Amino acid sequence: MSTTTASPLRPRVTTAPDGAGPGPGPAPWWASAVVYQVYPRSFADSDGDGVGDLRGITSRLDHLVDLGVDVVWLSPVYASPQDDNGYDISDYRAVDPTFGTLEDLEELTDALHARGMKLVMDLVVNHTSDEHPWFVESRTSPSSAKRDWYWWRGPREGMEGGAPGAEPTNWRSAFSGPAWSLDEASGEYYLHLFSRKQPDLNWENPDVRAAVHEMMRWWLDRGVDGFRMDVINMVSKDVAADGSLPDGRDADPRTGLAGGGEHYLCGPRIHEYLAEMHAEVFAGRPEALLTVGEMPGVTVADAQRFTDPASAEVDMVFQFEHVDLDHDGSKWHPVPLDLLALKASSGRWQAGLAERGWNSLYWNNHDQPRIVSRWGDDSPEHRAASARCLGTLLHLHRGTPYVYQGEEIGMANFPWASAEQLRDIESVNHLAEEVGHGGDPAEVLSRVAVSSRDNARTPVQWDASPSAGFTTGEPWIAVNPDHARGWTVADQADDPTSVLAHYRRLVALRHDWPVVALGDFTMLVPEHEQVYAFTRRLEGEGPDGAPAADELLVVANVGSSPVDLTDLLPEAVAGPGRDLELVLGTVPGDGGGDDADVAADPVLAPWEARVLRRG
């Protein structure tokens, strides 16, 4: 049989023991769930205007049912000027006409629920749009009742507003330039850690927090099943008793600007704010909800506290440690991935959240380049194999996996050839800034092309038609030309050896096998530069009520040359006295062998991964 087909064997452990989840008692529902992220602008367009929309998403739900996912995380569809593609919100209770109407969102919610899936909305409350009524009122006058809803500060002492370096702090915006913009009318600056059209809310003000809580309850009452919280660990700033904010360390000598993250990442009141949010919004609700916090710079120790059920803050966090490994401190200066560093990072997070708390697992999202181009091999020879291999590694870790749209068909980075093709504000601003400082345009573009968020935002490739089945109009951003070479849903839907078929099996494995969702994790051969291997083991109860344990051995060749396991991991090769059965493999069979033959083969092909059950 094909080694891409899961074994028909059923798991021995049929009941997960109490305490196997992120705390005492039965494991929560999301421990065995898989989340699928939809970036609405690029998923499916129903009206031919070139921009994806809510009705387009609803029209494609059969694909998600077929994939088997449990939750859809929807990137922002709120009313917005779209300066940062919807992460700049002007009305938290309205749908932007770009995406449809509130009724369209209700239809999508109902359609998901009818299919047994949940809807998680993006919550963007570190900042609003500068067109939000709160900010519009705030900037009318220093005496405005909402002035203190945002961070307004005068220029540095002894300096005039607008003069170079007069900003209240030297913090740098994530989208280039100072994190402060001058309001000419009042002579004061407002803080924006991102775009100047995304002013930061002042969470020190209890009225701000109360308004956010009310808005969240409003969405839950409308049937939303939880929130992914955008940069939520930035809401607490390191403010002094006199209201001042400190300068950041290690300023760039070219600009005088510093990151400043030490003063707003996991600030002094962050746990207070999240515990208050949980008490005001989620506590006592009977629904099965999900809360995940995006937290740049968070450590394992931070995550333990954030996700410990006893803390009652969030269910899981998105951490960035692993996706920061392949650059030298700036995303715009990529370096080759060190697999040993990735294994060390993954092992640390798996161990750190083994007893309390929970991991979220992701390679891709709307802010990251495509993983098959980033850490895989997107050449024609190895693209499918590396996509299957990396998917296997992610989904066999302990935690809740997140699939980003198109990941399940092995979508790759776009071949950017000119700056005019880019749409992302971060990429466009960085390119302009670096060229303005004397950088060679072609060299800067080559680095931006590798790391740009636009790589994740090209349209989902549904079929081989001119716009990949995404739209009948002109797409808002270019469609990857490789959609004409088999990298589409239509091409892969009925192919049992495809990346899509493999992702279906990965999702099913987590649903069907408690050891995948809840088993302990042990890293193997941590110093090997090409093999990524680990075990998953779950003690529990067998069908006859007797004590039983399931143990899986996962081995993967993260490279484009074969690896012999004979001496490295002899326990991973079936043979005399070794009771090993292949549960899931990534290499399509050639019709001449079966799963037993594969398990007995000591050589891992390039980008081959195996999930083996140990007897």
Side-chain angles (χ1 to χ4, degrees), residues 151 153 204 237-246 268:
W151 294 94
R153 296 294 185 270
E204 295 284 315
K237 273 67 169 179
D238 189 8
V239 58
D242 64 359
S244 63
L245 297 165

Side-chain angles (χ1 to χ4, degrees), residues 33-245:
V34 178
V35 183
Y36 187 96
Q37 183 189 357
V38 168
Y39 193 71
R41 177 175 288 270
S42 300
F43 190 72
D45 171 27
S46 70
D47 58 11
D49 67 355
V51 179
D53 49 44
L54 291 166
R55 289 188 174 182
I57 299 168
T58 302
S59 73
R60 294 289 188 176
L61 290 186
D62 285 348
H63 171 66
L64 303 187
V65 171
D66 179 62
L67 187 58
V69 297
D70 308 275
V71 182
V72 170
W73 154 26
L74 190 64
S75 285
V77 293
Y78 311 95
S80 167
Q82 302 295 320
D83 185 60
D84 185 25
N85 283 3
Y87 283 87
D88 49 315
I89 298 169
S90 57
D91 187 343
Y92 287 107
R93 304 192 194 202
V95 169
D96 194 273
T98 300
F99 304 118
T101 65
L102 195 57
E103 290 71 27
D104 293 333
L105 182 54
E106 291 173 348
E107 179 183 346
L108 172 61
T109 305
D110 291 343
L112 286 167
H113 289 168
R115 290 164 171 81
M117 289 182 279
K118 297 181 182 293
L119 177 66
V120 166
M121 296 279 282
D122 233 308
L123 182 75
V124 188
V125 289
N126 173 72
H127 46 266
T128 70
S129 166
D130 65 345
E131 298 181 30
H132 193 289
W134 296 345
F135 187 75
V136 172
E137 169 62 26
S138 176
R139 78 186 307 170
T140 57
S141 166
S143 61
S144 165
K146 283 193 167 50
R147 189 72 165 186
D148 194 40
W149 282 47
Y150 295 85
W151 294 94
W152 288 96
R153 296 294 185 270
R156 288 182 185 267
E157 186 175 354
M159 299 190 73
E160 183 177 346
E167 293 84 6
T169 73
N170 66 351
W171 298 356
R172 176 185 178 88
S173 162
F175 292 163
S176 301
W180 297 88
S181 286
L182 179 67
D183 175 60
E184 298 282 354
S186 66
E188 290 188 335
Y189 290 85
Y190 65 88
L191 175 67
H192 52 89
L193 294 177
F194 295 90
S195 162
R196 63 184 298 146
K197 289 186 67 62
Q198 293 171 292
D200 278 46
L201 284 164
N202 177 14
W203 276 60
E204 295 284 315
N205 186 332
D207 292 338
V208 169
R209 303 198 302 273
V212 168
H213 300 159
E214 182 187 13
M215 175 266 294
M216 294 172 69
R217 290 191 296 266
W218 186 83
W219 279 109
L220 294 181
D221 290 343
R222 297 185 72 89
V224 169
D225 301 295
F227 298 97
R228 174 267 187 186
M229 304 175 185
D230 188 66
V231 294
I232 196 64
N233 66 324
M234 293 186 179
V235 299
S236 173
K237 273 67 169 179
D238 189 8
V239 58
D242 64 359
S244 63
L245 297 165

Side-chain angles (χ1 to χ4, degrees), residues 267-282:
R269 300 183 67 185
I270 185 61
H271 293 288
E272 172 193 344
Y273 292 159
L274 290 181
E276 178 187 55
M277 175 188 288
H278 185 276
E280 293 293 327
V281 178
F282 302 105

Side-chain angles (χ1 to χ4, degrees), residues 14-36:
T14 57
T15 302
D18 284 358
W29 66 269
W30 37 257
S32 59
V34 178
V35 183
Y36 187 96

